[in-house]
Amino acid sequence: MSNTPLFAEERRYEITKLLSQNTKLLIPSLCEQFNVSPATIRNDLRALELKGMLKRTHGGAIPVSKAGFELATRSKEVECIEEKRRIAAHAETLIEDGDTILLDTGTTTMELAKLLTTKSNLTIVTNDIKIALFLEENTDASIFLLGGMLRRNFHNTMGISAIEQVSGLNVDKAFMATNGLCAEKGFTTPMLDLANIKKAMINTATMVIFLADSRKLGRVTFVQFAELSDASKIITDSGADADYINRLKEVNRYMDIVVV
């Protein structure tokens, strides 16, 4: 690290990068690395925790969640719900009557599905049985539900059967969920099988749109399923760190990032 002092936002961005590569960070080592006081580092960690980018501990910080851990859907449904609804509302404006779209499994894509009741003549591909059920009961869309192994407590299908089915399809727009979004590591998810179906989904689409609330930014989970270059657009919420948004744009200058 250079001896040149960093602005607070620059230092906090560097801290999130370090945390993506380590299981924990200690205040003394951060003080030494950035040549600042313990009080300054504590303020940094407090600010990053408020943004959901880490969890403070006695003497340091740890990632918000373990790389291989994922909350069950019922728990995720109550996290950042207003932010997810704003993201979904913007995503809905990108869908036109007659589109063929893909909805990845996820709580934000479920919020998007709820907004499609006024659309007509849609063809919707999904591996989420709750999304498919809602659409079947509340829209006139043609629904293609991918079969395969059902992931218990997450109401989605995955595995070879689902991959083979989606691989033969072509859609206008894929709306994808992610557990982590990192400038260096791209888009990540906790499970290899889930990563494989997500890769196949992305390959079907002309436009790939990621719906990621700000808590996902800077987070890395177990398996990468896409590079930043795979994204046509990212929609996130106003809690996103502006410097980190700029960093993402530097990696893929052709990608559109919308903050709602």
Side-chain angles (χ1 to χ4, degrees):
M1 182 67 63
S2 168
N3 290 327
T4 304
L6 298 176
F7 292 113
E9 290 302 321
E10 293 178 306
R11 189 174 56 251
R12 290 167 188 174
Y13 166 66
E14 293 296 330
I15 289 172
T16 63
K17 283 175 59 179
L18 288 170
L19 198 57
S20 73
Q21 302 161 7
N22 297 273
T23 56
K24 65 179 177 180
L25 297 176
L26 298 177
I27 288 175
S29 63
L30 291 172
C31 291
E32 182 178 354
Q33 179 149 357
F34 295 106
N35 194 26
V36 294
S37 70
T40 298
I41 292 296
R42 289 191 188 97
N43 285 337
D44 289 340
L45 299 183
R46 186 178 300 110
L48 290 169
E49 184 177 48
L50 287 173
K51 294 181 178 181
M53 301 182 77
L54 54 75
K55 179 177 177 60
R56 285 188 296 156
T57 63
H58 180 69
I62 59 174
V64 175
S65 62
K66 296 181 180 179
F69 174 77
E70 181 178 10
L71 289 174
T73 298
R74 186 171 297 178
S75 299
K76 290 194 289 185
E77 284 173 346
V78 298
E79 283 193 330
C80 305
I81 186 62
E82 291 305 321
E83 291 87 346
K84 291 175 180 179
R85 287 172 177 164
R86 293 203 305 272
I87 291 168
H90 183 83
E92 184 269 337
T93 67
L94 306 177
I95 300 172
E96 301 174 354
D97 290 347
D99 273 350
T100 297
I101 66 172
L102 183 148
L103 297 182
D104 188 12
T105 185
T107 51
T108 310
T109 47
M110 181 71 227
E111 293 301 321
L112 174 55
K114 293 175 183 177
L115 301 177
L116 300 182
T117 57
T118 60
K119 301 290 184 180
S120 62
N121 199 31
L122 294 178
T123 299
I124 303 175
V125 179
T126 188
N127 67 328
D128 189 304
I129 60 175
K130 284 185 71 175
I131 287 176
L133 180 61
F134 176 86
L135 294 170
E136 189 267 334
E137 293 179 342
N138 296 280
T139 74
D140 66 358
S142 298
I143 305 159
F144 192 111
L145 177 61
L146 300 171
M149 179 67 69
L150 183 64
R151 188 180 178 206
R152 191 175 299 276
N153 296 321
F154 293 88
H155 58 67
N156 66 275
T157 60
M158 57 186 186
I160 294 174
S161 297
I163 291 170
E164 288 179 346
Q165 289 174 44
V166 77
S167 295
L169 304 177
N170 296 288
V171 303
D172 300 312
K173 299 152 190 170
F175 294 88
M176 301 298 299
T178 185
N179 296 85
L181 167 50
C182 175
E184 292 75 26
K185 302 285 188 177
F187 301 92
T188 55
T189 189
M191 290 188 66
L192 181 60
D193 284 344
L194 203 54
N196 289 335
I197 183 67
K198 286 176 179 286
K199 288 178 183 177
M201 288 175 166
I202 288 169
N203 288 336
T204 69
T206 302
M207 178 182 290
V208 181
I209 302 147
F210 282 89
L211 312 184
D213 66 75
S214 57
R215 291 191 180 191
K216 308 292 177 58
L217 273 62
R219 182 183 294 183
V220 178
T221 56
F222 186 51
V223 188
Q224 182 191 69
F225 66 89
E227 303 275 0
L228 279 183
S229 58
D230 292 314
S232 308
K233 185 187 293 286
I234 295 171
I235 309 173
T236 189
D237 64 79
S238 56
D241 181 83
D243 288 338
Y244 203 77
I245 292 290
N246 290 332
R247 172 63 184 139
L248 294 173
K249 290 179 178 178
E250 289 173 2
V251 176
N252 181 4
R253 61 191 180 92
Y254 300 104
M255 173 181 62
D256 185 25
I257 302 181
V258 179
V259 179
V260 295

